[in-house]
Amino acid sequence: MPHTTHHYLTEGPRVALRRFTLEDGPEFTARARESKDLHLPWLVVADSEEAYARYARPLIEEQGRVGFLVCEKDSGDIAGFININNIVRGGFQCGALGYGAFAHAAGRGLMREGLELVIGYAFGALGLHRLEINVQPGNTASIALARGAGFRLEGFSPKMIQVDGEWRDHERWALTAEMRDRG
C-alpha cells in the first residue's frame, strides 16, 4: 500500500514511531476499513478522509495531545496508532493512552513494541510521570497489551466512555515512571 515516509521520532527492532500528518489519510482510512471487524465494538476508527481529518487535526495541532503512528520499519506501512490524550501538566504530569492495531499487523507483537516506544518517549522527551489506559473489560487483547507493558489495574468505572453510541464500562490501568524504572 502506498504510504508517506517521514522522520521517525524513535525506533525499535521492527517498528518506528512518527507523528500523524494529514497526508496519512488515505493509508490510515484504508487500514481502518480493512480492520472494522477487529475494532468493533471496542473502538471506532476514522474510515473516511473527512473523519480522518477531524481525528488527526487535534493530534497534530493541539498541545494536550500527541498522536503516534506505529510503522513497520522494513516497509513504512502503518501497523497501528497510539495517542496520548488529555495531557495534564503541573503537579499531575499525566496522559491517557488510546491505541489500535490494524488487522494486517494484529497478533505480531508490533503494537507491543510500539507501546514500549511510546512509554519511553512519554516518560522521557515529554516529561510525563503517569500514563493511564481505559479498557473495556471484554477487550482481552487490549488488556493483555496493557498488562504486558507493566500497567497495573487500578479500578473499574461503569459507563465511563461513549463508544459507538453507547456508554461502556471500562477498567482503569496505569503506569508511573517509578514503576517503569523498577522494571
Side-chain angles (χ1 to χ4, degrees):
M1 176 173 290
H3 56 82
T4 57
T5 56
H6 297 276
H7 172 73
Y8 291 131
L9 297 169
T10 185
E11 298 182 30
R14 297 182 302 149
V15 303
L17 299 181
R18 65 179 176 80
R19 295 280 176 89
F20 278 75
T21 69
L22 293 178
E23 293 78 26
D24 291 309
E27 181 181 0
F28 189 96
T29 57
R31 297 284 186 204
R33 287 188 299 273
E34 294 167 0
S35 305
K36 261 198 192 311
D37 290 342
L38 176 66
H39 294 149
L40 288 176
W42 318 118
L43 181 64
V44 177
V45 180
D47 63 358
S48 71
E49 290 290 327
E50 299 79 23
Y52 177 79
R54 284 191 308 273
Y55 173 70
R57 218 174 236 110
L59 295 168
I60 296 167
E61 298 172 358
E62 291 182 11
Q63 293 291 321
R65 302 174 186 214
V66 182
F68 303 96
L69 294 172
V70 178
C71 300
E72 296 183 65
K73 276 178 48 176
D74 61 349
S75 66
D77 291 346
I78 299 171
F81 55 93
I82 303 172
N83 304 324
I84 307 175
N85 300 299
N86 307 323
I87 296 173
V88 179
R89 295 297 185 172
F92 202 36
Q93 296 297 335
C94 180
L97 295 180
Y99 49 79
F102 290 125
H104 75 283
R108 295 173 43 205
L110 301 176
M111 289 301 291
R112 173 63 189 273
E113 186 178 323
L115 181 56
E116 291 294 332
L117 293 173
V118 168
I119 292 167
Y121 192 84
F123 291 152
L126 293 179
L128 296 179
H129 173 258
R130 178 182 171 90
L131 293 171
E132 299 176 352
I133 298 173
N134 297 298
V135 182
Q136 293 175 58
N139 189 342
T140 56
S142 188
I143 290 170
L145 185 61
R147 182 179 285 125
F151 285 73
R152 70 175 171 229
L153 179 62
E154 291 191 334
F156 177 82
S157 295
K159 310 240 182 257
M160 180 181 187
I161 301 173
Q162 192 176 60
V163 178
D164 198 23
E166 291 186 38
W167 289 99
R168 300 184 190 265
D169 300 343
H170 281 73
E171 294 179 356
R172 297 185 321 276
W173 293 77
L175 179 70
T176 64
E178 292 87 359
M179 291 167 59
R180 176 109 169 142
D181 290 344
R182 286 193 300 263

